[in-house]
């Protein structure tokens, strides 16, 4: 099949042809799509029946493959779906949807804000200053910190509470959570011990283990 590779038009000629079409994508990305398409054809010549195509046919084929890639790049990746799993906070489905009230409030923060500026003093502040008083009121805690995911919160807790100590982890919980949480926890100064526990892990299970 390699003898038919000579019929494949050059990248520059294909780029000139496709550049005549109005596109929202820069030429350098169009060029990358062309190179991807040519590599795809070379890897799968039988799939595209390369031996049966002439130079013009191949040029048309590559153009279609490129336009397909362009459409894929321009179309939104995230789609609206229906959660029929029975799990309300589903990690794979984006956890909790944002409520309309919260979405409407985005208008107030879609511009420049005083994220790290203390308006009273006019000096540089801390972004957590906006939420710490609220969390202290809600929880009664002396202080607070916010992370953007549970894994980050877990590693902070382990480093603060279980620094250089052993941490018991239910293997069943790891399976339920999924991902690489164990690797995250192993990244701190605490050492983890995974224990095989079937079903839902309770505090009673861990009490038996620690005893």
């Amino acid at each position: 099949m390699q003898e038919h590779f000579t019929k494949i038009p050059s990248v520059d000629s294909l780029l000139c042809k496709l550049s005549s079409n109005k596109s929202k994508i820069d030429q350098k990305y169009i060029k990358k799509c062309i190179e991807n398409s040519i590599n795809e054809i070379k890897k799968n010549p039988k799939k595209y029946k390369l031996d049966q195509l002439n130079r013009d046919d191949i040029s048309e084929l590559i153009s279609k493959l490129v336009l397909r890639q362009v459409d894929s790049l321009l179309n939104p990746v995230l789609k609206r779906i229906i959660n029929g799993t029975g799990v309300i906070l589903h990690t794979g489905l984006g956890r909790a949807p944002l409520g309309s009230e919260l979405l409407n409030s985005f208008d107030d923060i879609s511009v420049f804000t005083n994220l790290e500026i203390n308006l009273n003093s006019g000096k540089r502040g801390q972004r957590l200053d906006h939420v710490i008083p609220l969390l202290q009121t809600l929880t009664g805690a002396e202080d607070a910190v916010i992370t953007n995911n549970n894994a980050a919160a877990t590693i902070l807790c382990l480093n603060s509470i279980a620094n250089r100590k052993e941490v018991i982890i239910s293997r069943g919980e790891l399976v339920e959570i999924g991902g690489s949480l164990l690797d995250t926890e192993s990244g701190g100064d605490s050492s983890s011990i995974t224990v095989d526990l079937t079903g839902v892990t309770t505090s009673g299970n861990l009490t038996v283990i620690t005893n």
Side-chain angles (χ1 to χ4, degrees), residues 65-78:
L65 293 176
V66 169
L67 291 176
R68 191 180 302 167
Q69 292 180 69
V70 170
D71 288 339
S72 177
L73 290 171
L74 293 179
N75 286 331
V77 178
L78 297 177

Side-chain angles (χ1 to χ4, degrees), residues 13-21 30 34 62-63 66-67:
S13 64
L14 290 166
L15 187 59
C16 290
K17 176 183 177 181
L18 290 168
S19 296
S20 61
N21 299 328
I30 296 292
I34 292 173
I62 293 174
S63 296
V66 169
L67 291 176

Side-chain angles (χ1 to χ4, degrees), residues 5 8 10 21 24 27 32 37 65 71 133 148 185-186:
F5 289 175
I8 298 177
S10 67
N21 299 328
K24 298 178 181 179
Q27 274 199 349
K32 182 63 177 177
S37 300
L65 293 176
D71 288 339
N148 64 353
E185 293 177 348
S186 299

Side-chain angles (χ1 to χ4, degrees), residues 30-110:
I30 296 292
K31 182 178 180 181
K32 182 63 177 177
C33 290
I34 292 173
E35 292 171 346
N36 291 340
S37 300
I38 291 176
N39 289 334
E40 169 68 15
I41 292 173
K42 287 183 176 180
K43 289 179 180 178
N44 303 282
K46 291 184 179 180
K47 173 184 176 181
Y48 295 101
K49 301 178 180 179
L50 190 61
D51 57 333
Q52 301 176 26
L53 303 178
N54 58 37
R55 192 178 187 84
D56 291 336
D57 294 332
I58 296 173
S59 176
E60 187 65 26
L61 171 61
I62 293 174
S63 296
K64 289 180 179 179
L65 293 176
V66 169
L67 291 176
R68 191 180 302 167
Q69 292 180 69
V70 170
D71 288 339
S72 177
L73 290 171
L74 293 179
N75 286 331
V77 178
L78 297 177
K79 308 292 183 181
R80 183 168 185 167
I81 62 174
I82 296 174
N83 181 3
T85 64
V87 180
I88 297 176
L89 298 178
H90 196 296
T91 303
L93 304 182
R95 293 189 180 272
L98 297 176
S100 57
E101 184 177 345
L102 178 60
L103 290 174
N104 292 334
S105 69
F106 283 176
D107 291 337
D108 297 329
I109 58 174
S110 60

Side-chain angles (χ1 to χ4, degrees), residues 2-207:
Q2 288 189 358
E3 63 271 15
H4 297 287
F5 289 175
T6 56
K7 297 187 293 184
I8 298 177
S10 67
V11 172
D12 288 340
S13 64
L14 290 166
L15 187 59
C16 290
K17 176 183 177 181
L18 290 168
S19 296
S20 61
N21 299 328
K22 292 183 179 179
S23 176
K24 298 178 181 179
I25 297 184
D26 190 275
Q27 274 199 349
K28 62 182 179 181
Y29 299 114
I30 296 292
K31 182 178 180 181
K32 182 63 177 177
C33 290
I34 292 173
E35 292 171 346
N36 291 340
S37 300
I38 291 176
N39 289 334
E40 169 68 15
I41 292 173
K42 287 183 176 180
K43 289 179 180 178
N44 303 282
K46 291 184 179 180
K47 173 184 176 181
Y48 295 101
K49 301 178 180 179
L50 190 61
D51 57 333
Q52 301 176 26
L53 303 178
N54 58 37
R55 192 178 187 84
D56 291 336
D57 294 332
I58 296 173
S59 176
E60 187 65 26
L61 171 61
I62 293 174
S63 296
K64 289 180 179 179
L65 293 176
V66 169
L67 291 176
R68 191 180 302 167
Q69 292 180 69
V70 170
D71 288 339
S72 177
L73 290 171
L74 293 179
N75 286 331
V77 178
L78 297 177
K79 308 292 183 181
R80 183 168 185 167
I81 62 174
I82 296 174
N83 181 3
T85 64
V87 180
I88 297 176
L89 298 178
H90 196 296
T91 303
L93 304 182
R95 293 189 180 272
L98 297 176
S100 57
E101 184 177 345
L102 178 60
L103 290 174
N104 292 334
S105 69
F106 283 176
D107 291 337
D108 297 329
I109 58 174
S110 60
V111 293
F112 293 113
T113 66
N114 58 313
L115 178 63
E116 290 189 355
I117 297 295
N118 187 316
L119 295 180
N120 294 323
S121 66
K123 297 180 180 180
R124 188 68 176 258
Q126 297 291 330
R127 61 181 62 194
L128 289 179
D129 290 345
H130 302 288
V131 291
I132 287 179
L134 296 173
L135 289 172
Q136 288 173 323
T137 302
L138 287 171
T139 65
E142 295 180 2
D143 205 347
V145 66
I146 294 179
T147 65
N148 64 353
N149 58 61
N150 288 337
T154 300
I155 197 71
L156 287 174
C157 289
L158 290 177
N159 281 341
S160 300
I161 301 172
N163 187 33
R164 302 187 184 281
K165 298 178 182 178
E166 293 181 342
V167 178
I168 299 173
I169 303 172
S170 163
R171 197 180 303 277
E173 289 293 319
L174 286 177
V175 172
E176 185 176 344
I177 295 171
S180 55
L181 183 61
L182 181 58
D183 294 336
T184 301
E185 293 177 348
S186 299
D189 290 331
S190 57
S191 59
S192 58
I193 301 176
T194 57
V195 180
D196 290 316
L197 294 173
T198 58
V200 178
T201 303
T202 65
S203 57
N205 298 138
L206 300 181
T207 301

